[in-house]
Amino acid sequence: MSSDLATKSWSEKLPTKVTGLVHGLAIASLVSQVGIIVTGGAVRLTNSGLGCSHWPNCVPGSMTPVPAMGIHGIIEFGNRTLTFVLLAIAVAFLISVWSMRRTHASLFKLGLVLLLGIPGQAVIGGITVWTGLNPWVVSLHFLLSGTLVILATILVNRTRTELKAQEHQPTTKTIRQVATAAWIFSIISVILGTIVTGTGPHAGDATTPRHMFDPLLVTRMHTAPVYLLILATIVLLVLAYKAGENARLRASLWWLVVVILIQAAIGYTQHFTGLPIALVLLHMLGASLLLVSSTDVWDRANLLPEYQRVDS
């Protein structure tokens, strides 16, 4: 009986509506998911991909790196350690919305999927080590992280909408369709970007195999959906200003424009300057932000009234 009372007392202290803490944890989830992509890129770009030669141990008989692994072991182990930070944030978010799991089911489900995706990241990371950094597996690892970035972006949007009690801003069917197309183009460009990466020189280790594709051909394939994304974004801007009813969508669109321009500038510069490490790392950050901004636009365009204040 005392245990039941303690459990009830604990649950009663949890939020029953979205608070600043809940929204802050959603933001922390997004930032950490982007962060682990960037740190994972740093592992590859510093040739530290096999700095820990085993998984789940770093080396046989030790969870932590040994002096013989040098700086590469420290870098790789540091990236692995960030997984626990992601787990802690995901668990904290689920706890914060536990009392809202029925009234705010979409938030709870998104948080649960994010939590379940983190062990998936770790397992695929282990497979990349077991396969000697096979570029297809490395791509899968990045794409799972990108998927979690997308989900975390939606989570941030939904908690912000709830926290600020924002009213539904209408969009047209055409805007929703074009926003969905732009979102798909951004995802395709990121997927093809992983093939370009797997063909390029930054493998993560000197012994790592690479794709045997023509680098120029796969680069052109990668840029094709980017041009379609640019076209869709221009169309969206015209439609959004013509409709004139959704200021938040227009703001999101301008953020997408900024990300596209910066990402394109970095991409072309790195291509014509021999893929310097710093620019490649910035391009990976840009890919993450492209997923964030295009998802934000898609979610703004498709946000329906049932995602608004369900307790009102």
Side-chain angles (χ1 to χ4, degrees):
M1 179 67 70
S2 60
S3 176
D4 292 340
L5 290 175
T7 302
K8 183 178 180 181
S9 175
W10 172 80
S11 62
E12 285 179 344
K13 295 178 181 179
L14 296 176
T16 56
K17 63 180 181 180
V18 175
T19 63
L21 174 62
V22 174
H23 182 52
L25 287 170
I27 294 174
S29 180
L30 175 58
V31 171
S32 61
Q33 290 292 348
V34 172
I36 203 165
I37 287 177
V38 175
T39 57
V43 169
R44 180 172 57 83
L45 293 167
T46 57
N47 284 329
S48 303
L50 295 177
C52 285
S53 58
H54 288 68
W55 189 90
N57 282 349
C58 181
V59 293
S62 176
M63 287 290 293
T64 58
V66 296
M69 306 307 292
I71 187 64
H72 297 305
I74 296 173
I75 293 173
E76 165 64 2
F77 183 73
N79 182 246
R80 291 187 182 189
T81 304
L82 284 178
T83 299
F84 297 102
V85 176
L86 268 66
L87 276 173
I89 294 171
V91 170
F93 179 83
L94 273 185
I95 292 173
S96 73
V97 297
W98 180 256
S99 295
M100 297 180 273
R101 62 189 184 278
R102 294 184 178 87
T103 58
H104 297 69
S106 63
L107 298 183
F108 183 78
K109 290 175 182 177
L110 280 169
L112 182 60
V113 173
L114 278 168
L115 175 61
L116 295 176
I118 295 169
Q121 285 175 309
V123 170
I124 297 176
I127 295 173
T128 63
V129 173
W130 295 337
T131 59
L133 305 183
N134 180 288
W136 292 112
V137 183
V138 173
S139 294
L140 180 62
H141 194 212
F142 176 85
L143 293 175
L144 174 57
S145 294
T147 300
L148 297 183
V149 165
I150 288 172
L151 295 177
T153 300
I154 297 173
L155 192 64
V156 170
N157 267 6
R158 301 293 164 85
T159 55
R160 179 174 56 219
T161 298
E162 178 75 14
L163 177 64
K164 297 185 177 181
Q166 294 175 336
E167 296 297 329
H168 172 61
Q169 293 189 337
T171 58
T172 66
K173 180 180 179 180
T174 303
I175 287 177
R176 292 193 294 272
Q177 290 173 336
V178 179
T180 300
W183 185 51
I184 292 172
F185 293 145
S186 70
I187 293 172
I188 293 174
S189 70
V190 170
I191 292 172
L192 293 177
T194 66
I195 297 177
V196 176
T197 298
T199 308
H202 302 298
D205 188 81
T207 62
T208 300
R210 312 307 291 147
H211 295 316
M212 300 305 293
F213 303 129
D214 180 349
L216 183 58
L217 176 61
V218 292
T219 299
R220 287 174 174 172
M221 290 173 58
H222 166 55
T223 58
V226 175
Y227 292 134
L228 294 174
L229 169 61
I230 292 171
L231 178 60
T233 303
I234 293 171
V235 172
L236 272 174
L237 278 169
V238 173
L239 292 173
Y241 275 91
K242 184 178 179 181
E245 295 180 314
N246 198 325
R248 291 196 294 274
L249 175 60
R250 294 196 298 273
S252 295
L253 277 167
W254 282 115
W255 278 115
L256 177 58
V257 169
V258 170
V259 171
I260 291 173
L261 290 175
I262 294 176
Q263 183 70 337
I266 295 172
Y268 277 107
T269 303
Q270 70 168 9
H271 177 72
F272 290 110
T273 56
L275 301 175
I277 289 176
L279 287 182
V280 174
L281 189 61
L282 285 175
H283 202 54
M284 291 189 68
L285 173 61
S288 302
L289 296 180
L290 179 63
L291 291 175
V292 172
S293 55
S294 64
T295 300
D296 181 45
V297 168
W298 172 82
D299 196 44
R300 291 291 188 194
N302 289 276
L303 195 62
L304 299 176
E306 58 261 33
Y307 293 122
Q308 307 304 308
R309 293 180 56 82
V310 295
D311 59 342
S312 59

